Amino acid sequence: MGMPVSIAVPDAIAPCAVDDVFEWLHHVDATFSTYRNDSQVSRLDRGEITLEAADPDVREVVERCEAFRLASDGFFDIRAGGHLDPSGFVKGWAVDRAAGVLERAGARRFWINAGGDVVVRGGAPWRIGIQHPRLADRLAGVVVLRDGAVATSGAYERGQHVLDPQTGRPPAGTLSVTVVAPTLGAADAFATAALAMGRRGPAWTASLAGFEAMTVLDDDRVLTTPGFLDYCPGGSVAASLEAGQTVTTASGLRSPASDLADGTSSATSAPANSTMDPTVIAGISPST
């Protein structure tokens, strides 16, 4: 999928199960990559095959993406850049499927980290670090999760790749959006949509039932949905960075903001200026 994927399974399972996961992910890359001329997505985009003739997985992904487009008022648009690109959903969808492979093999506690987007299962909660959108050696926050998924959409390694479908240009005012959800596919899609909305995104994420979000604005304010703080050790973004002494916060913390950018009052803020321990820069470690 054009990104590093790491897996940790403390449970005793057959080694072939992990091999099956990577075989599946290689299949997904061969089928959905927009960088491969021979992938079905590239051929579909060029009109060489029809959706009806495509692999059933391709049809499923395109149909799911259309549902997310409707749910996001058009901001999750796999054709926003002028070409078919379901990357904003397919990575999370593929990792959800990979998690199912491990579960069917008997794994009850594991994590899968795909380019910084994470699925975790079972046992003591996992601590997941959210990378700072400007500084590769810093975190913007930490969440603790037992079962679920965390996805972040921002520039990071791929550069500015998310476009506002209404303007055809990168969104203004927002650096990154992180979503906590039951599944990584949905977290990935909604994080992408919220980022495409720019400063309208935080209010929209606050309206989503069953999802929580954190948005880093271009002035370094951090806006969260109220429920997102339930996942933060210590009950706030700033406190989460101090919890467990795996990260430390810089001085100069701002007071929480009472309003979102559009004037609603369903978010709180804290600065994204925190230094992290380089040993956890991959973004995940078991919570103690």
Side-chain angles (χ1 to χ4, degrees), residues 32-51:
F32 291 94
S33 175
T34 60
Y35 299 101
R36 297 176 58 147
N37 288 331
D38 62 343
S39 74
Q40 289 207 16
V41 161
S42 294
R43 296 180 62 208
L44 184 62
D45 184 49
R46 294 193 299 266
E48 296 175 4
I49 59 172
T50 64
L51 185 59

Side-chain angles (χ1 to χ4, degrees), residues 188-231:
D188 208 358
F190 282 146
T192 300
L195 182 67
M197 294 177 188
R199 293 216 172 203
R200 292 167 287 183
W204 179 74
T205 59
S207 73
L208 297 174
F211 299 85
E212 303 299 342
M214 181 183 85
T215 302
V216 181
L217 302 179
D218 61 358
D219 60 5
D220 287 332
R221 282 186 299 152
V222 178
L223 305 182
T224 75
T225 58
F228 185 88
L229 301 181
D230 294 337
Y231 295 103

Side-chain angles (χ1 to χ4, degrees), residues 5-286:
V5 177
S6 55
I7 299 173
V9 187
D11 297 333
I13 61 171
C16 64
V18 175
D19 294 337
D20 290 344
V21 166
F22 283 104
E23 182 178 349
W24 159 248
L25 295 177
H26 284 304
H27 165 73
V28 170
D29 183 62
T31 303
F32 291 94
S33 175
T34 60
Y35 299 101
R36 297 176 58 147
N37 288 331
D38 62 343
S39 74
Q40 289 207 16
V41 161
S42 294
R43 296 180 62 208
L44 184 62
D45 184 49
R46 294 193 299 266
E48 296 175 4
I49 59 172
T50 64
L51 185 59
E52 292 73 18
D55 186 285
D57 287 336
V58 175
R59 295 198 298 272
E60 177 185 340
V61 164
V62 171
E63 289 168 1
R64 294 282 302 277
C65 288
E66 174 61 12
F68 283 118
R69 186 187 69 83
L70 296 174
S72 64
D73 297 324
F75 279 93
F76 182 82
D77 188 342
I78 59 177
R79 292 191 177 273
H83 294 280
L84 181 65
D85 183 0
S87 302
F89 169 70
V90 75
K91 176 177 68 171
W93 168 84
V95 172
D96 287 332
R97 287 274 196 96
V101 171
L102 295 178
E103 288 172 323
R104 288 190 293 275
R108 295 296 175 262
R109 176 168 167 78
F110 62 86
W111 57 258
I112 306 174
N113 184 341
D117 293 342
V118 179
V119 167
V120 296
R121 291 287 187 274
W126 299 90
R127 181 176 292 114
I128 303 166
I130 301 165
Q131 186 176 338
H132 194 292
R134 295 191 196 271
L135 304 171
D137 63 342
R138 298 189 181 187
L139 290 181
V142 175
V143 297
V144 172
L145 190 63
R146 187 184 303 274
D147 290 287
V150 181
T152 298
S153 185
Y156 296 103
E157 288 83 359
R158 291 183 63 190
Q160 188 55 270
H161 60 285
V162 174
L163 301 177
D164 178 342
Q166 296 182 353
T167 65
R169 297 191 297 272
T174 301
L175 297 179
S176 69
V177 179
T178 297
V179 173
V180 179
T183 64
L184 191 57
D188 208 358
F190 282 146
T192 300
L195 182 67
M197 294 177 188
R199 293 216 172 203
R200 292 167 287 183
W204 179 74
T205 59
S207 73
L208 297 174
F211 299 85
E212 303 299 342
M214 181 183 85
T215 302
V216 181
L217 302 179
D218 61 358
D219 60 5
D220 287 332
R221 282 186 299 152
V222 178
L223 305 182
T224 75
T225 58
F228 185 88
L229 301 181
D230 294 337
Y231 295 103
C232 295
S236 72
V237 174
S240 77
L241 293 164
E242 298 172 341
Q245 298 182 349
T246 57
V247 290
T248 57
T249 57
S251 59
L253 299 184
R254 298 176 185 160
S255 299
S258 59
D259 296 329
L260 284 171
D262 67 349
T264 63
S265 58
S266 54
T268 59
S269 71
N273 59 349
S274 305
T275 304
M276 64 171 294
D277 180 335
T279 62
V280 295
I281 196 167
I284 176 167
S285 63

